[in-house]
Amino acid sequence: MKAGFFLDRPASPARPAAKILTVCILLLVYSGLCWMAFSHSLKNWEQVWNYRVTFLNGWAATIGISAAALLLSTAIGALTALARRSAFLPLRYTAVAYVETVRGLPLVVLVLFGFYGIANAIGWNDRVSVGIVLLSLFSGAYIAEIIRGGIESVGRSQWDSARAIGLTTTQTYRFVIFPQVLRQILPPVAGQFSSLIKDSSLLYIIGIPELTFAANQINSATYSTFESFVPLGICYLVLTLPVSLWTKYLESQVRYET
Amino acid sequence: MKILLRGVTRKFGSQTVLDAVDFEVGFAHTLALIGPSGGGKSTLLRLLAGLDSPDAGEILVNGEPLPQDEESLRRHRSRTGIVFQAYNLFPHLSALGNVMLPLTAVHGLDASTARDRAMDVLKRFHLAEHTAKQPGQLSGGQRQRVAIARALAVDPAFLLLDEPTSALDPEMTAEVLDVIAELRESGKPIILVTHEMGFARRSADRVAFIAQGGVLECASAEEFFDNPSKPVLKQFLERILKY
Protein backbone atom coordinates (compact mmCIF):
# COMPACT_ATOMS: atom_id res chain seq x y z
CA MET A 1 0.00 0.00 0.00
CA LYS A 2 1.54 3.24 -1.22
CA ALA A 3 1.60 6.44 0.76
CA GLY A 4 -1.35 8.50 -0.38
CA PHE A 5 -3.61 5.47 -0.77
CA PHE A 6 -6.41 7.33 1.02
CA LEU A 7 -5.98 10.60 -0.85
CA ASP A 8 -8.47 11.60 -3.53
CA ARG A 9 -7.36 14.50 -5.72
CA PRO A 10 -8.58 15.65 -9.13
CA ALA A 11 -5.14 14.98 -10.63
CA SER A 12 -4.72 11.58 -8.98
CA PRO A 13 -8.10 10.10 -8.05
CA ALA A 14 -8.31 7.42 -5.37
CA ARG A 15 -8.87 3.82 -6.45
CA PRO A 16 -12.34 2.31 -5.85
CA ALA A 17 -10.75 -0.13 -3.39
CA ALA A 18 -9.55 2.82 -1.31
CA LYS A 19 -13.08 4.22 -1.13
CA ILE A 20 -14.64 0.91 -0.10
CA LEU A 21 -11.93 0.27 2.47
CA THR A 22 -12.40 3.76 3.91
CA VAL A 23 -16.13 3.21 4.33
CA CYS A 24 -15.57 -0.17 6.04
CA ILE A 25 -12.96 1.16 8.44
CA LEU A 26 -15.06 4.19 9.35
CA LEU A 27 -18.14 2.06 9.97
CA LEU A 28 -16.15 -0.17 12.28
CA VAL A 29 -14.52 2.71 14.16
CA TYR A 30 -17.63 4.82 14.61
CA SER A 31 -19.93 1.96 15.57
CA GLY A 32 -17.29 0.79 18.02
CA LEU A 33 -17.15 4.24 19.58
CA CYS A 34 -20.94 4.41 19.80
CA TRP A 35 -21.05 0.96 21.35
CA MET A 36 -18.52 1.86 24.02
CA ALA A 37 -20.34 5.08 24.84
CA PHE A 38 -23.93 3.94 24.80
CA SER A 39 -24.09 0.15 25.19
CA HIS A 40 -24.99 0.39 28.87
CA SER A 41 -27.98 2.60 28.04
CA LEU A 42 -29.31 0.49 25.17
CA LYS A 43 -30.70 -2.41 27.19
CA ASN A 44 -34.39 -1.78 27.40
CA TRP A 45 -35.41 -3.01 23.94
CA GLU A 46 -38.10 -5.39 25.18
CA GLN A 47 -40.25 -2.71 26.72
CA VAL A 48 -39.91 -0.51 23.69
CA TRP A 49 -40.74 -3.44 21.44
CA ASN A 50 -44.16 -3.61 23.12
CA TYR A 51 -44.91 -0.19 21.69
CA ARG A 52 -43.94 -1.08 18.13
CA VAL A 53 -47.50 -0.56 16.84
CA THR A 54 -47.59 2.99 18.24
CA PHE A 55 -44.28 3.59 16.55
CA LEU A 56 -45.33 2.20 13.17
CA ASN A 57 -48.60 4.12 13.30
CA GLY A 58 -46.61 7.28 13.92
CA TRP A 59 -44.35 6.47 11.01
CA ALA A 60 -47.33 5.91 8.71
CA ALA A 61 -48.84 9.22 9.88
CA THR A 62 -45.57 11.04 9.11
CA ILE A 63 -45.48 9.57 5.60
CA GLY A 64 -49.15 10.38 5.00
CA ILE A 65 -48.88 13.95 6.33
CA SER A 66 -45.72 14.61 4.31
CA ALA A 67 -47.22 13.23 1.10
CA ALA A 68 -50.46 15.22 1.51
CA ALA A 69 -48.51 18.37 2.38
CA LEU A 70 -46.28 17.86 -0.66
CA LEU A 71 -49.27 17.84 -3.01
CA LEU A 72 -50.94 20.79 -1.34
CA SER A 73 -47.75 22.83 -1.07
CA THR A 74 -46.94 22.22 -4.74
CA ALA A 75 -50.36 23.59 -5.69
CA ILE A 76 -49.93 26.57 -3.34
CA GLY A 77 -46.41 27.14 -4.65
CA ALA A 78 -47.44 27.04 -8.32
CA LEU A 79 -50.34 29.47 -7.79
CA THR A 80 -48.17 31.80 -5.71
CA ALA A 81 -45.40 31.77 -8.30
CA LEU A 82 -47.87 32.74 -11.04
CA ALA A 83 -49.42 35.38 -8.76
CA ARG A 84 -45.96 36.84 -8.16
CA ARG A 85 -45.57 37.26 -11.92
CA SER A 86 -49.06 38.72 -12.32
CA ALA A 87 -49.47 42.17 -13.86
CA PHE A 88 -52.33 42.82 -11.39
CA LEU A 89 -50.58 44.55 -8.48
CA PRO A 90 -52.87 43.53 -5.55
CA LEU A 91 -52.41 39.87 -6.51
CA ARG A 92 -48.65 40.23 -6.96
CA TYR A 93 -48.16 42.03 -3.64
CA THR A 94 -50.33 39.50 -1.80
CA ALA A 95 -48.05 36.76 -3.07
CA VAL A 96 -44.93 38.70 -2.09
CA ALA A 97 -46.29 39.38 1.41
CA TYR A 98 -47.18 35.71 1.91
CA VAL A 99 -43.81 34.40 0.72
CA GLU A 100 -41.73 36.89 2.69
CA THR A 101 -43.76 36.52 5.90
CA VAL A 102 -43.66 32.74 5.91
CA ARG A 103 -39.99 32.56 4.97
CA GLY A 104 -39.23 34.99 7.80
CA LEU A 105 -40.97 32.92 10.47
CA PRO A 106 -39.78 29.77 12.23
CA LEU A 107 -42.08 26.83 11.55
CA VAL A 108 -42.78 26.46 15.29
CA VAL A 109 -44.20 29.98 15.42
CA LEU A 110 -46.35 29.33 12.38
CA VAL A 111 -47.65 26.05 13.83
CA LEU A 112 -48.39 27.50 17.30
CA PHE A 113 -50.03 30.65 15.95
CA GLY A 114 -51.87 28.82 13.20
CA PHE A 115 -53.26 26.14 15.48
CA TYR A 116 -53.85 27.85 18.85
CA GLY A 117 -54.51 31.23 17.28
CA ILE A 118 -56.33 30.95 13.98
CA ALA A 119 -57.65 27.37 13.84
CA ASN A 120 -59.05 27.53 17.40
CA ALA A 121 -60.63 30.91 16.74
CA ILE A 122 -62.55 29.61 13.73
CA GLY A 123 -63.41 26.35 15.49
CA TRP A 124 -61.33 24.07 13.26
CA ASN A 125 -60.24 21.33 15.62
CA ASP A 126 -59.08 18.49 13.41
CA ARG A 127 -55.40 18.53 14.32
CA VAL A 128 -54.17 16.45 11.42
CA SER A 129 -55.80 18.54 8.69
CA VAL A 130 -54.73 21.79 10.39
CA GLY A 131 -51.22 20.37 10.60
CA ILE A 132 -51.17 19.44 6.92
CA VAL A 133 -52.42 22.89 5.91
CA LEU A 134 -49.88 24.71 8.11
CA LEU A 135 -47.04 22.55 6.85
CA SER A 136 -48.20 23.15 3.25
CA LEU A 137 -48.40 26.91 3.77
CA PHE A 138 -44.86 26.82 5.16
CA SER A 139 -43.43 24.66 2.40
CA GLY A 140 -45.53 26.34 -0.32
CA ALA A 141 -43.67 29.62 0.17
CA TYR A 142 -40.37 27.89 -0.55
CA ILE A 143 -41.76 25.95 -3.50
CA ALA A 144 -43.20 29.21 -4.91
CA GLU A 145 -39.68 30.65 -4.96
CA ILE A 146 -38.31 27.49 -6.59
CA ILE A 147 -40.95 27.65 -9.33
CA ARG A 148 -40.51 31.40 -9.84
CA GLY A 149 -36.78 30.87 -10.19
CA GLY A 150 -37.48 28.06 -12.67
CA ILE A 151 -39.72 30.24 -14.83
CA GLU A 152 -37.21 33.09 -14.74
CA SER A 153 -34.35 30.76 -15.68
CA VAL A 154 -35.99 30.17 -19.08
CA GLY A 155 -34.38 32.91 -21.14
CA ARG A 156 -36.03 35.73 -23.09
CA SER A 157 -34.81 34.11 -26.30
CA GLN A 158 -37.15 31.18 -25.69
CA TRP A 159 -40.14 33.54 -25.54
CA ASP A 160 -38.91 35.23 -28.70
CA SER A 161 -38.49 31.93 -30.54
CA ALA A 162 -41.93 30.79 -29.44
CA ARG A 163 -43.50 34.03 -30.65
CA ALA A 164 -41.52 33.83 -33.88
CA ILE A 165 -43.04 30.48 -34.86
CA GLY A 166 -46.51 31.85 -34.05
CA LEU A 167 -47.34 30.17 -30.73
CA THR A 168 -49.96 31.88 -28.54
CA THR A 169 -49.08 32.76 -24.94
CA THR A 170 -50.92 29.70 -23.61
CA GLN A 171 -49.17 27.45 -26.13
CA THR A 172 -45.84 29.01 -25.23
CA TYR A 173 -46.34 28.10 -21.56
CA ARG A 174 -47.55 24.62 -22.45
CA PHE A 175 -45.02 23.57 -25.08
CA VAL A 176 -41.96 25.67 -24.28
CA ILE A 177 -41.88 27.15 -20.76
CA PHE A 178 -43.44 24.52 -18.47
CA PRO A 179 -41.53 21.50 -19.85
CA GLN A 180 -38.27 23.38 -19.25
CA VAL A 181 -39.36 24.70 -15.85
CA LEU A 182 -40.38 21.21 -14.75
CA ARG A 183 -36.96 19.77 -15.51
CA GLN A 184 -35.28 22.68 -13.77
CA ILE A 185 -37.32 22.54 -10.58
CA LEU A 186 -37.69 18.79 -10.02
CA PRO A 187 -34.40 18.42 -8.11
CA PRO A 188 -35.03 21.35 -5.70
CA VAL A 189 -38.67 20.31 -5.23
CA ALA A 190 -37.51 16.78 -4.37
CA GLY A 191 -35.11 18.37 -1.88
CA GLN A 192 -38.02 20.35 -0.45
CA PHE A 193 -39.88 17.06 0.01
CA SER A 194 -37.03 15.86 2.17
CA SER A 195 -37.30 19.03 4.28
CA LEU A 196 -41.04 18.50 4.51
CA ILE A 197 -40.58 15.03 6.00
CA LYS A 198 -38.20 16.41 8.61
CA ASP A 199 -40.32 19.49 9.32
CA SER A 200 -43.42 17.37 9.91
CA SER A 201 -41.75 16.30 13.19
CA LEU A 202 -42.60 19.75 14.60
CA LEU A 203 -46.31 18.94 14.40
CA TYR A 204 -45.85 16.91 17.58
CA ILE A 205 -46.17 20.15 19.55
CA ILE A 206 -49.86 20.39 18.60
CA GLY A 207 -50.39 16.77 19.53
CA ILE A 208 -50.55 15.07 16.14
CA PRO A 209 -49.63 11.39 16.65
CA GLU A 210 -46.86 11.29 14.08
CA LEU A 211 -43.46 9.64 14.40
CA THR A 212 -41.73 12.07 16.77
CA PHE A 213 -44.83 12.25 18.95
CA ALA A 214 -44.91 8.45 19.12
CA ALA A 215 -41.24 8.20 20.05
CA ASN A 216 -41.68 10.84 22.71
CA GLN A 217 -44.68 8.99 24.10
CA ILE A 218 -42.79 5.70 24.24
CA ASN A 219 -39.91 7.44 25.99
CA SER A 220 -42.27 8.82 28.65
CA ALA A 221 -43.91 5.45 29.15
CA THR A 222 -40.77 3.30 29.31
CA TYR A 223 -38.05 5.72 30.48
CA SER A 224 -35.86 4.35 27.66
CA THR A 225 -34.58 7.48 25.95
CA PHE A 226 -32.02 5.91 23.63
CA GLU A 227 -34.17 2.94 22.71
CA SER A 228 -36.96 5.34 21.72
CA PHE A 229 -34.96 7.96 19.86
CA VAL A 230 -32.41 5.83 18.00
CA PRO A 231 -35.16 4.11 15.95
CA LEU A 232 -36.74 7.56 15.51
CA GLY A 233 -33.61 8.88 13.81
CA ILE A 234 -33.25 5.74 11.72
CA CYS A 235 -36.86 5.98 10.54
CA TYR A 236 -36.36 9.55 9.34
CA LEU A 237 -33.13 8.60 7.55
CA VAL A 238 -34.89 5.70 5.84
CA LEU A 239 -37.29 8.25 4.36
CA THR A 240 -34.93 11.14 3.63
CA LEU A 241 -31.84 9.33 2.28
CA PRO A 242 -33.65 7.83 -0.75
CA VAL A 243 -35.18 11.23 -1.51
CA SER A 244 -31.74 12.80 -1.28
CA LEU A 245 -30.25 10.18 -3.63
CA TRP A 246 -33.18 10.65 -6.01
CA THR A 247 -32.54 14.42 -5.96
CA LYS A 248 -28.91 13.83 -6.92
CA TYR A 249 -30.01 11.55 -9.75
CA LEU A 250 -32.48 14.17 -11.02
CA GLU A 251 -29.78 16.82 -10.90
CA SER A 252 -27.60 14.70 -13.15
CA GLN A 253 -30.52 14.38 -15.61
CA VAL A 254 -31.32 18.06 -16.17
CA ARG A 255 -27.94 19.16 -17.43
CA TYR A 256 -28.61 20.22 -20.97
CA GLU A 257 -27.38 23.38 -22.63
CA THR A 258 -29.76 26.26 -23.11
CA MET B 1 -40.59 40.81 -53.15
CA LYS B 2 -41.35 44.42 -52.23
CA ILE B 3 -40.80 46.24 -48.95
CA LEU B 4 -42.11 49.74 -48.32
CA LEU B 5 -41.50 51.77 -45.18
CA ARG B 6 -43.33 55.07 -44.62
CA GLY B 7 -42.14 57.27 -41.76
CA VAL B 8 -41.24 54.28 -39.59
CA THR B 9 -40.02 55.27 -36.13
CA ARG B 10 -39.01 52.95 -33.30
CA LYS B 11 -37.79 54.23 -29.95
CA PHE B 12 -36.49 52.32 -26.95
CA GLY B 13 -36.75 54.68 -23.99
CA SER B 14 -34.95 57.84 -24.96
CA GLN B 15 -33.05 56.14 -27.77
CA THR B 16 -34.45 56.50 -31.30
CA VAL B 17 -33.26 53.44 -33.21
CA LEU B 18 -35.24 54.06 -36.40
CA ASP B 19 -36.04 57.69 -37.11
CA ALA B 20 -38.91 58.33 -39.59
CA VAL B 21 -37.51 55.90 -42.15
CA ASP B 22 -38.84 56.11 -45.71
CA PHE B 23 -37.55 53.23 -47.79
CA GLU B 24 -38.69 51.24 -50.76
CA VAL B 25 -37.01 48.21 -52.24
CA GLY B 26 -37.89 45.43 -54.63
CA PHE B 27 -35.71 42.36 -55.06
CA ALA B 28 -35.92 38.96 -56.70
CA HIS B 29 -34.40 36.80 -54.07
CA THR B 30 -32.07 38.11 -51.38
CA LEU B 31 -31.87 41.45 -49.63
CA ALA B 32 -28.88 41.90 -47.31
CA LEU B 33 -28.98 44.46 -44.52
CA ILE B 34 -25.56 45.59 -43.34
CA GLY B 35 -24.31 48.32 -41.08
CA PRO B 36 -22.72 49.05 -37.73
CA SER B 37 -23.97 47.49 -34.49
CA GLY B 38 -26.81 49.45 -32.95
CA GLY B 39 -27.63 51.00 -36.30
CA GLY B 40 -31.12 49.55 -36.46
CA LYS B 41 -30.71 46.47 -38.73
CA SER B 42 -32.05 43.97 -36.21
CA THR B 43 -34.81 46.36 -35.12
CA LEU B 44 -35.96 46.68 -38.73
CA LEU B 45 -35.88 42.90 -39.12
CA ARG B 46 -37.95 42.43 -35.94
CA LEU B 47 -40.52 44.91 -37.28
CA LEU B 48 -40.73 43.00 -40.57
CA ALA B 49 -41.08 39.78 -38.58
CA GLY B 50 -44.01 41.15 -36.59
CA LEU B 51 -42.12 40.55 -33.34
CA ASP B 52 -42.24 44.27 -32.63
CA SER B 53 -44.35 47.21 -33.79
CA PRO B 54 -43.24 50.68 -34.86
CA ASP B 55 -44.10 53.69 -32.69
CA ALA B 56 -45.09 55.58 -35.83
CA GLY B 57 -45.35 54.97 -39.55
CA GLU B 58 -46.35 51.92 -41.53
CA ILE B 59 -44.70 48.97 -43.21
CA LEU B 60 -46.00 47.29 -46.37
CA VAL B 61 -44.80 43.88 -47.46
CA ASN B 62 -45.74 43.13 -51.08
CA GLY B 63 -48.32 45.91 -50.90
CA GLU B 64 -49.98 44.57 -47.72
CA PRO B 65 -49.67 46.72 -44.60
CA LEU B 66 -48.41 44.82 -41.52
CA PRO B 67 -51.22 44.46 -38.97
CA GLN B 68 -51.34 46.26 -35.63
CA ASP B 69 -53.19 43.86 -33.33
CA GLU B 70 -51.42 40.96 -31.64
CA GLU B 71 -53.61 38.21 -33.09
CA SER B 72 -53.04 39.29 -36.72
CA LEU B 73 -49.35 39.81 -35.98
CA ARG B 74 -49.19 36.27 -34.63
CA ARG B 75 -50.67 34.97 -37.90
CA HIS B 76 -48.14 37.08 -39.81
CA ARG B 77 -45.30 35.55 -37.76
CA SER B 78 -46.58 32.02 -38.34
CA ARG B 79 -46.30 32.59 -42.11
CA THR B 80 -42.82 34.11 -41.83
CA GLY B 81 -39.65 32.10 -41.35
CA ILE B 82 -37.52 33.72 -38.67
CA VAL B 83 -34.00 32.65 -37.68
CA PHE B 84 -32.10 34.41 -34.90
CA GLN B 85 -28.41 34.84 -34.26
CA ALA B 86 -28.18 32.01 -31.74
CA TYR B 87 -29.97 29.85 -29.24
CA ASN B 88 -33.28 29.88 -30.99
CA LEU B 89 -34.01 26.17 -30.67
CA PHE B 90 -36.02 24.72 -27.80
CA PRO B 91 -33.44 22.84 -25.68
CA HIS B 92 -35.91 20.27 -24.31
CA LEU B 93 -37.01 19.07 -27.76
CA SER B 94 -35.08 16.97 -30.28
CA ALA B 95 -34.15 18.42 -33.68
CA LEU B 96 -37.21 16.68 -35.09
CA GLY B 97 -39.40 17.95 -32.24
CA ASN B 98 -38.22 21.49 -32.88
CA VAL B 99 -39.17 21.34 -36.55
CA MET B 100 -42.49 19.59 -35.80
CA LEU B 101 -43.74 21.95 -33.08
CA PRO B 102 -44.88 24.84 -35.32
CA LEU B 103 -46.37 22.36 -37.80
CA THR B 104 -48.57 20.65 -35.20
CA ALA B 105 -49.25 23.46 -32.73
CA VAL B 106 -49.60 26.42 -35.10
CA HIS B 107 -50.47 24.98 -38.51
CA GLY B 108 -52.73 22.18 -37.32
CA LEU B 109 -51.01 19.28 -39.10
CA ASP B 110 -51.50 15.82 -37.60
CA ALA B 111 -48.41 14.25 -36.06
CA SER B 112 -47.57 11.81 -38.87
CA THR B 113 -47.88 14.40 -41.67
CA ALA B 114 -45.83 16.84 -39.61
CA ARG B 115 -43.19 14.17 -38.97
CA ASP B 116 -42.92 13.34 -42.68
CA ARG B 117 -42.58 16.95 -43.66
CA ALA B 118 -40.06 17.69 -40.90
CA MET B 119 -37.97 14.65 -41.89
CA ASP B 120 -37.97 15.79 -45.52
CA VAL B 121 -36.63 19.22 -44.64
CA LEU B 122 -34.06 17.86 -42.18
CA LYS B 123 -32.81 15.37 -44.80
CA ARG B 124 -32.49 18.17 -47.29
CA PHE B 125 -30.12 19.94 -44.89
CA HIS B 126 -28.12 16.73 -44.30
CA LEU B 127 -29.41 16.35 -40.75
CA ALA B 128 -31.01 12.92 -41.17
CA GLU B 129 -28.76 11.23 -38.61
CA HIS B 130 -29.22 14.01 -36.04
CA THR B 131 -33.03 14.16 -35.88
CA ALA B 132 -33.26 12.51 -32.46
CA LYS B 133 -30.58 14.68 -30.84
CA GLN B 134 -31.34 17.58 -28.55
CA PRO B 135 -29.79 20.98 -29.37
CA GLY B 136 -27.19 20.49 -26.62
CA GLN B 137 -25.82 17.49 -28.52
CA LEU B 138 -25.50 19.36 -31.83
CA SER B 139 -22.72 21.64 -33.06
CA GLY B 140 -23.43 25.34 -33.53
CA GLY B 141 -23.66 24.93 -37.29
CA GLN B 142 -26.02 21.96 -37.00
CA ARG B 143 -28.22 23.91 -34.58
CA GLN B 144 -28.47 26.81 -36.96
CA ARG B 145 -29.32 24.43 -39.83
CA VAL B 146 -32.09 22.92 -37.69
CA ALA B 147 -33.35 26.45 -37.00
CA ILE B 148 -33.43 27.18 -40.73
CA ALA B 149 -35.19 23.86 -41.33
CA ARG B 150 -37.79 24.77 -38.70
CA ALA B 151 -38.36 28.15 -40.34
CA LEU B 152 -38.64 26.62 -43.80
CA ALA B 153 -40.81 23.62 -42.92
CA VAL B 154 -43.95 25.73 -42.48
CA ASP B 155 -43.62 26.91 -46.10
CA PRO B 156 -43.30 30.60 -45.16
CA ALA B 157 -43.95 33.50 -47.52
CA PHE B 158 -40.38 34.69 -46.93
CA LEU B 159 -37.44 34.16 -44.58
CA LEU B 160 -35.84 36.63 -42.17
CA LEU B 161 -32.36 35.77 -40.93
CA ASP B 162 -30.85 37.89 -38.15
CA GLU B 163 -27.07 37.48 -38.17
CA PRO B 164 -27.41 33.71 -38.59
CA THR B 165 -23.65 33.11 -38.51
CA SER B 166 -22.40 35.65 -35.96
CA ALA B 167 -22.14 33.11 -33.14
CA LEU B 168 -20.31 30.51 -35.24
CA ASP B 169 -16.67 29.71 -35.99
CA PRO B 170 -15.50 30.08 -39.63
CA GLU B 171 -16.03 26.45 -40.58
CA MET B 172 -19.60 26.36 -39.24
CA THR B 173 -20.23 29.76 -40.79
CA ALA B 174 -19.36 28.29 -44.18
CA GLU B 175 -21.64 25.32 -43.49
CA VAL B 176 -24.61 27.59 -42.71
CA LEU B 177 -23.90 30.02 -45.56
CA ASP B 178 -23.91 27.03 -47.95
CA VAL B 179 -27.41 26.21 -46.76
CA ILE B 180 -28.58 29.80 -47.17
CA ALA B 181 -27.09 29.95 -50.67
CA GLU B 182 -28.92 26.71 -51.43
CA LEU B 183 -32.20 28.33 -50.37
CA ARG B 184 -31.85 30.56 -53.39
CA GLU B 185 -32.91 27.60 -55.49
CA SER B 186 -36.05 27.10 -53.40
CA GLY B 187 -37.25 30.50 -54.61
CA LYS B 188 -38.18 31.83 -51.15
CA PRO B 189 -37.27 35.49 -50.73
CA ILE B 190 -34.73 36.09 -47.97
CA ILE B 191 -33.96 39.19 -45.96
CA LEU B 192 -30.70 38.75 -44.14
CA VAL B 193 -28.82 40.81 -41.57
CA THR B 194 -25.17 39.89 -41.88
CA HIS B 195 -21.58 40.88 -41.26
CA GLU B 196 -20.34 38.47 -43.94
CA MET B 197 -19.53 40.98 -46.67
CA GLY B 198 -18.22 38.37 -49.10
CA PHE B 199 -21.43 36.44 -48.80
CA ALA B 200 -23.59 39.54 -49.18
CA ARG B 201 -21.71 40.48 -52.30
CA ARG B 202 -22.05 37.06 -53.91
CA SER B 203 -25.59 36.10 -52.92
CA ALA B 204 -27.61 39.27 -52.43
CA ASP B 205 -29.54 40.98 -55.21
CA ARG B 206 -29.81 44.16 -53.22
CA VAL B 207 -27.79 45.41 -50.28
CA ALA B 208 -29.03 48.09 -47.90
CA PHE B 209 -26.81 50.06 -45.53
CA ILE B 210 -28.54 50.85 -42.26
CA ALA B 211 -26.94 53.31 -39.84
CA GLN B 212 -27.77 56.39 -37.81
CA GLY B 213 -31.43 55.38 -37.56
CA GLY B 214 -32.15 55.10 -41.26
CA VAL B 215 -31.46 53.38 -44.58
CA LEU B 216 -28.57 55.41 -45.97
CA GLU B 217 -27.97 53.48 -49.16
CA CYS B 218 -29.56 50.67 -51.10
CA ALA B 219 -28.14 49.33 -54.34
CA SER B 220 -27.29 46.17 -56.24
CA ALA B 221 -24.47 44.23 -54.61
CA GLU B 222 -21.94 45.21 -57.25
CA GLU B 223 -22.68 48.89 -57.12
CA PHE B 224 -22.92 48.85 -53.34
CA PHE B 225 -19.46 47.40 -52.78
CA ASP B 226 -17.59 48.74 -55.81
CA ASN B 227 -19.02 52.19 -56.06
CA PRO B 228 -20.49 53.36 -52.76
CA SER B 229 -21.80 56.90 -53.02
CA LYS B 230 -22.10 57.98 -49.38
CA PRO B 231 -18.89 58.84 -47.49
CA VAL B 232 -20.17 57.17 -44.33
CA LEU B 233 -20.67 53.88 -46.23
CA LYS B 234 -17.22 54.21 -47.82
CA GLN B 235 -15.74 54.63 -44.37
CA PHE B 236 -17.67 51.66 -43.01
CA LEU B 237 -16.60 49.41 -45.89
CA GLU B 238 -12.99 50.52 -45.64
CA ARG B 239 -12.92 49.75 -41.94
CA ILE B 240 -14.68 46.43 -42.23
CA LEU B 241 -12.77 45.20 -45.31
CA LYS B 242 -9.39 46.33 -44.01
CA TYR B 243 -8.46 42.92 -42.57
Side-chain angles (χ1 to χ4, degrees), chain A residues 158 160-161 163 166 171 175, chain B residues 46 51 74 77 89 92 105:
Chain A
Q158 291 290 302
D160 247 10
S161 297
R163 289 182 70 222
Q171 286 178 324
F175 295 119
Chain B
R46 288 178 68 84
L51 283 165
R74 191 184 66 76
R77 292 196 294 269
L89 296 179
H92 61 297

Side-chain angles (χ1 to χ4, degrees), chain A residues 157-158 160-168 171 175-176 179-180 183 256-258, chain B residues 46 51 74 77-78 82 84 87-92 101 105-106 134 136 143 150:
Chain A
S157 67
Q158 291 290 302
D160 247 10
S161 297
R163 289 182 70 222
I165 61 170
L167 294 179
T168 62
Q171 286 178 324
F175 295 119
V176 178
Q180 293 186 53
R183 284 163 81 157
Y256 55 64
E257 265 184 78
T258 49
Chain B
R46 288 178 68 84
L51 283 165
R74 191 184 66 76
R77 292 196 294 269
S78 72
I82 304 163
F84 299 99
Y87 310 126
N88 45 124
L89 296 179
F90 302 122
H92 61 297
L101 182 61
V106 182
Q134 291 194 337
R143 276 184 238 175
R150 183 176 70 190

